[in-house]
Amino acid sequence: MNKELVKKIFLPLIVLVVIIQVWAGIAMVVDEFPTPSQTYTAAFGGVDADGDEVIGVLSDPFYIENQDDKGLFWQIVESLKRVFAGFALAILVGVPFGLMLGMSKTAQYAFDPFIQIFKPISPLAWLPLLLFIFQDINMTAISTIFITSIWPIIINTALGVKSVSEDYMNVAKVLRFTHFEKIIQIILPVSVPYIFTGMRLSLGIAWLVIVAAEMLTGGIGIGFWIWDEYNNLNYHNIIIGIIIVGLVGYLLDLIMGKISDYFDYTKKGRA
Amino acid sequence: MSEKFLSLEKIEKRFPIPGKDDYVAVTDINLEIKRNEIISIIGHSGCGKSTLLNMISGLDSQTEGNIVLEGKDIKGPGPDRAVVFQNHSLLPWLSVYNNIEMAVKKVMPDLSPIELRERVEKFISMVNLDHAKDKLPDEISGGMKQRVGIARALSITPKVLLMDEPFGALDSLTRANLQEHLMRIQQKVKNTVIIITHDIDEAVLLSDRVIMMTNGPDATIGEILEVKLEHPRNRVELQHDPEYIRCREAILSFLYEKFAKEDE
């Protein structure tokens, strides 16, 4: 094993130990704050402080007791479904819109101020309005994700279009490409890496939003699950939930990164 | 054969400057170019030679005057006037083959798949790039990229081949190599070629006539030099040819005595 790899594995382990120590410290100071070991037992099962046998929430994440009582896996699946629905909608609308903004100065002047205003609005601010409109948990969550995650896609797509060099457009002009051919053969290939950067940012936002949205809308999903565990005074499960949210988010970003590399012509090594 | 192939008539290009008089880049350009003639346009930077080429290609439009190709006024760019750009302008996500295929497909949409492939491969062979046809532009050298650019331009059988300082960005050995390529191709497929250059040897070696531009603003054609050397030309033998030396000296004296330009 080379030195670099040893460092890559060893150093994070040290940091992990430090984090767990800090956590244990907090648990000593804050009353009823779950310790690392209590949290571990709550996650994977074992014997708790009172000597009782505990079934961990991660021991059987696939169980389905009834419509309202499902394992953690299904909570995550429900959340992911909403995330992907909102995300897909954001791509479907955001990419063409971004293309238009990038190609037309008029459109850019017309819409840019509103994009700048809408972009920083918190999903929590949209939520009550959307809940009022749709009166439906799923629709509210999906539309909240849509409206908060669409902006990086629009902005990055427009940026990609603007990065198309004059030289490529000259080639297109000499060959007398139609407007449509210019988009398909030149503008899109140049923009694809930018679009994927936007999508990656957007997916990150979507995953941030879902937890908040589900806490407020209730029903099922990882966000609701965390809130539910708070109401049930299962504080250790909140920590488990947080870690899971982080891991899933990391995984989503990793997958999105791989996909965007695949479509990026500037990255070597694709078939 | 029509005596007039490509003619520039009283061409002027002005650029508006807010609050001031227009900047006159080039003015009063009159030139007749014969079929299959190779023309070089040479001049100091800022003499409007690229502007002139852009007007012929249609990528830019003249403020005054007409450009007439085979009796028709030129309006906008088109595949009858293929351009070899200085920075090759290959699409980096397409292979060498696909870059050329894209052009042929668009200009000759009626070719069968087999004819299309044969045509693309013929022009790849013409610039000796068979071994690199599946490579991406970023994987080949600058000289090879420019050869692809030439192949792409020729593959659509243009009436005029326009080259905007085609070898300017290359080192001198690669440049010589590409000049040889161009001369060899020209022997095979006769083309009307207009080359923008600032390289005196290149101008004399390649062209039948050298157009010398005065300095801008108000740049125009200063002198036209006829190079009376037979094709194919050999650069080594030419070094002591009296006609070659005469041409070189004529251009040198034009550029550095009559229209010398100081760096600002």
Side-chain angles (χ1 to χ4, degrees), chain A residues 163-226:
Chain A
S163 77
V164 175
S165 97
E166 194 61 30
D167 300 325
Y168 301 159
M169 292 321 277
N170 281 342
V171 172
K173 280 183 199 158
V174 168
L175 292 173
R176 290 223 180 104
F177 274 8
T178 62
H179 218 64
F180 182 68
E181 283 169 326
K182 279 183 199 164
I183 294 175
I184 295 296
Q185 305 226 36
I186 297 187
I187 294 173
L188 263 181
V190 174
S191 309
V192 157
Y194 291 83
I195 293 174
F196 273 96
T197 304
M199 281 166 57
R200 203 171 166 180
L201 292 170
S202 160
L203 187 58
I205 292 176
W207 187 242
L208 278 179
V209 168
I210 189 67
V211 176
E214 285 172 347
M215 279 187 180
L216 293 177
T217 54
I220 188 170
I222 184 70
F224 169 71
W225 185 82
I226 292 175

Side-chain angles (χ1 to χ4, degrees), chain B:
Chain B
M1 193 179 122
S2 66
E3 68 284 9
K4 275 190 183 178
F5 180 62
L6 173 64
S7 51
L8 313 186
E9 297 159 359
K10 288 192 181 303
I11 302 298
E12 179 165 300
K13 177 70 183 176
R14 295 192 300 265
F15 294 100
I17 301 172
K20 288 189 194 163
D21 290 342
D22 289 357
Y23 177 84
V24 182
V26 294
T27 184
D28 198 30
I29 303 272
N30 296 288
L31 186 63
E32 297 279 339
I33 295 163
K34 293 188 276 288
R35 197 185 292 272
N36 298 342
E37 192 177 19
I38 306 184
I39 296 278
S40 283
I41 301 176
I42 198 165
H44 292 289
S45 48
C47 74
K49 51 191 193 295
S50 285
T51 308
L52 188 57
L53 193 86
N54 285 342
M55 289 188 286
I56 301 172
S57 69
L59 291 171
D60 206 342
S61 58
Q62 65 271 22
T63 318
E64 305 280 345
N66 296 310
I67 300 175
V68 185
L69 176 63
E70 288 191 316
K72 278 188 200 137
D73 259 358
I74 283 172
K75 289 233 163 31
D80 53 345
R81 285 150 288 133
V83 185
V84 176
F85 299 92
Q86 175 171 15
N87 54 3
H88 62 76
S89 292
L90 300 180
L91 305 181
W93 56 91
L94 294 181
S95 68
V96 166
Y97 182 93
N98 293 130
N99 258 289
I100 299 173
E101 185 196 44
M102 172 205 73
V104 177
K105 231 184 198 169
K106 172 65 189 168
V107 179
M108 302 167 186
D110 298 331
L111 291 184
S112 72
I114 298 164
E115 287 169 322
L116 174 68
R117 202 189 62 219
E118 280 173 355
R119 185 169 186 89
V120 175
E121 281 174 354
K122 176 181 145 195
F123 283 91
I124 291 176
S125 296
M126 192 179 278
V127 291
N128 290 346
L129 282 174
D130 307 78
H131 61 286
K133 69 175 171 135
D134 295 321
K135 292 231 164 89
L136 290 173
D138 285 344
E139 298 170 325
I140 59 178
S141 70
M144 287 162 88
K145 279 183 222 178
Q146 203 49 287
R147 269 145 69 190
V148 182
I150 293 171
R152 180 176 64 183
L154 290 173
S155 70
I156 54 175
T157 16
K159 290 174 182 156
V160 186
L161 181 63
L162 304 170
M163 308 180 91
D164 188 0
E165 299 193 25
F167 314 135
L170 303 170
D171 66 83
S172 57
L173 287 178
T174 311
R175 197 183 311 157
N177 176 304
L178 281 188
Q179 289 160 352
E180 298 294 333
H181 265 288
L182 189 63
M183 288 194 289
R184 201 170 38 77
I185 292 167
Q186 184 65 12
Q187 284 305 111
K188 254 190 270 178
V189 267
K190 294 280 183 214
N191 266 299
T192 309
V193 187
I194 302 175
I195 305 169
I196 301 290
T197 183
H198 49 231
D199 181 329
I200 295 171
D201 287 302
E202 180 169 283
V204 180
L205 180 70
L206 297 177
S207 35
D208 300 314
R209 278 192 297 163
V210 181
I211 314 296
M212 291 176 260
M213 301 276 292
T214 63
N215 293 329
D218 303 312
T220 188
I221 296 174
E223 281 175 37
I224 297 178
L225 173 79
E226 221 162 312
V227 182
K228 297 185 190 96
L229 292 165
E230 286 299 310
H231 293 281
R233 296 170 183 172
N234 179 310
R235 76 174 65 235
V236 182
E237 286 167 16
L238 283 181
Q239 292 306 317
H240 304 290
D241 189 302
E243 170 67 5
Y244 183 84
I245 294 166
R246 179 190 73 86
C247 292
R248 268 194 106 242
E249 281 172 357
I251 301 174
L252 267 172
S253 116
F254 179 88
L255 288 179
Y256 297 106
E257 287 166 13
K258 292 176 209 162
F259 289 95
K261 195 184 180 196
E262 298 291 326
D263 272 337
E264 278 129 59

Side-chain angles (χ1 to χ4, degrees), chain A:
Chain A
M1 233 198 293
N2 66 43
K3 247 181 159 172
E4 199 68 18
L5 197 63
V6 173
K7 276 188 191 165
K8 264 191 173 166
I9 294 168
F10 194 61
L11 292 177
L13 282 177
I14 295 175
V15 177
L16 182 66
V17 170
V18 173
I19 290 173
I20 291 173
Q21 285 304 320
V22 172
W23 173 5
I26 295 172
M28 283 205 292
V29 178
V30 182
D31 219 23
E32 280 190 76
F33 198 94
T35 63
S37 68
Q38 282 170 342
T39 310
Y40 182 86
T41 311
F44 300 103
V47 181
D48 71 8
D50 305 328
D52 296 329
E53 190 76 25
V54 176
I55 300 168
V57 286
L58 292 174
S59 313
D60 181 18
F62 303 108
Y63 81 89
I64 299 179
E65 187 67 37
N66 58 50
Q67 207 40 46
D68 297 321
D69 187 9
K70 292 181 180 176
L72 253 183
F73 175 79
W74 302 110
Q75 308 284 344
I76 295 169
V77 166
E78 283 305 315
S79 296
L80 284 176
K81 274 194 207 160
R82 289 170 183 151
V83 163
F84 281 117
F87 178 57
L89 215 57
I91 295 171
L92 241 51
V93 178
V95 171
F97 197 72
L99 287 177
M100 184 184 80
L101 283 193
M103 286 189 282
S104 152
K105 266 250 148 55
T106 316
Q108 197 204 330
Y109 289 145
F111 290 106
D112 194 57
F114 302 100
I115 291 174
Q116 300 307 333
I117 292 168
F118 281 125
K119 191 177 58 163
I121 296 176
S122 159
L124 298 175
W126 287 111
L127 212 63
L129 184 70
L130 295 167
L131 194 56
F132 162 70
I133 294 172
F134 292 111
Q135 308 276 337
D136 172 271
I137 292 166
N138 257 323
M139 286 300 287
T140 305
I142 292 169
S143 55
T144 309
I145 287 172
F146 166 76
I147 209 160
T148 43
S149 70
I150 193 171
W151 311 112
I153 296 183
I154 293 177
I155 292 167
N156 277 280
T157 304
L159 196 70
V161 174
K162 279 187 214 142
S163 77
V164 175
S165 97
E166 194 61 30
D167 300 325
Y168 301 159
M169 292 321 277
N170 281 342
V171 172
K173 280 183 199 158
V174 168
L175 292 173
R176 290 223 180 104
F177 274 8
T178 62
H179 218 64
F180 182 68
E181 283 169 326
K182 279 183 199 164
I183 294 175
I184 295 296
Q185 305 226 36
I186 297 187
I187 294 173
L188 263 181
V190 174
S191 309
V192 157
Y194 291 83
I195 293 174
F196 273 96
T197 304
M199 281 166 57
R200 203 171 166 180
L201 292 170
S202 160
L203 187 58
I205 292 176
W207 187 242
L208 278 179
V209 168
I210 189 67
V211 176
E214 285 172 347
M215 279 187 180
L216 293 177
T217 54
I220 188 170
I222 184 70
F224 169 71
W225 185 82
I226 292 175
W227 193 245
D228 203 33
E229 294 306 298
Y230 169 73
N231 287 328
N232 295 336
L233 310 179
N234 288 330
Y235 300 132
H236 36 71
N237 282 356
I238 297 175
I239 296 176
I240 295 169
I242 288 173
I243 295 170
I244 287 172
V245 168
L247 287 175
V248 172
Y250 176 54
L251 208 66
L252 287 179
D253 189 60
L254 217 63
I255 294 168
M256 201 62 219
K258 288 272 178 244
I259 296 174
S260 81
D261 281 358
Y262 179 80
F263 285 102
D264 187 347
Y265 68 87
T266 60
K267 299 261 164 66
K268 286 278 164 57
R270 73 195 175 103

